[in-house]
Amino acid sequence: MTALELPPGTALPSLSGPALTRTVLALFAGGSGDLNPIHLDLDVARSAGLDDVFAQGMLSMAVLGRLLTGWTDQRNLRSFRVRFATITPVNAQPRCTGTVVSVDEVDGERRATIDLTVTLADGTVTLTGDAVVAVS
């Protein structure tokens, strides 16, 4: 991709992540080391006043990262930041989107700044963020 092909407003191809089932939460817990029982144990979640367990925030971030690395080589990634807006319930299926907001020259390199969002089927935004990616 070249900077000329990325005017502000360019949308990255969206990515629908997997349904975040209890199995996915358990596998991610083991892989990430986030073993907080509120993500895995219904009794713990209910004792905290919740209806059910919910996905780890970093799991949504990981799915969002796949949007970026599916679009560009990970070596082009210069920064990746997120802000968690609300919990992602178990069995939700995140949809990740990104939009180019600017392309600038930094340290002799063309870099695209991309706004990022994770949205659920009901329109709930669970995560927002941005990334900076080197472009030709």
Side-chain angles (χ1 to χ4, degrees):
M1 88 199 99
T2 69
L4 296 176
E5 298 167 335
L6 295 172
T10 300
L12 278 60
S14 65
L15 173 71
S16 292
L20 303 180
T21 63
R22 294 174 198 286
T23 300
V24 171
L25 301 186
L27 291 171
F28 185 79
S32 70
D34 183 351
L35 301 173
N36 187 330
I38 203 161
H39 300 297
L40 305 170
D41 187 325
L42 181 58
D43 293 335
V44 171
R46 287 187 173 157
S47 73
L50 301 168
D51 293 332
D52 207 337
V53 298
F54 59 95
Q56 299 91 339
M58 295 302 286
L59 176 54
S60 292
M61 185 178 180
V63 175
L64 187 58
R66 286 185 48 219
L67 171 78
L68 292 169
T69 58
W71 181 69
T72 188
D73 190 295
Q74 68 184 26
R75 291 175 290 185
N76 295 327
L77 192 60
R78 298 297 179 261
S79 69
F80 178 32
R81 304 181 306 174
V82 298
R83 179 178 170 273
F84 302 105
T86 190
I87 63 171
T88 301
V90 66
N91 295 318
Q93 184 171 13
R95 180 173 179 271
C96 304
T97 57
T99 303
V100 175
V101 293
S102 66
V103 177
D104 303 292
E105 186 162 331
V106 178
D107 297 331
E109 181 178 66
R110 302 288 291 172
R111 295 179 182 176
T113 299
I114 303 163
D115 277 348
L116 302 164
T117 304
V118 176
T119 308
L120 303 181
D122 67 359
T124 301
V125 173
T126 61
L127 189 150
T128 59
D130 61 72
V132 176
V133 175
V135 295
S136 305

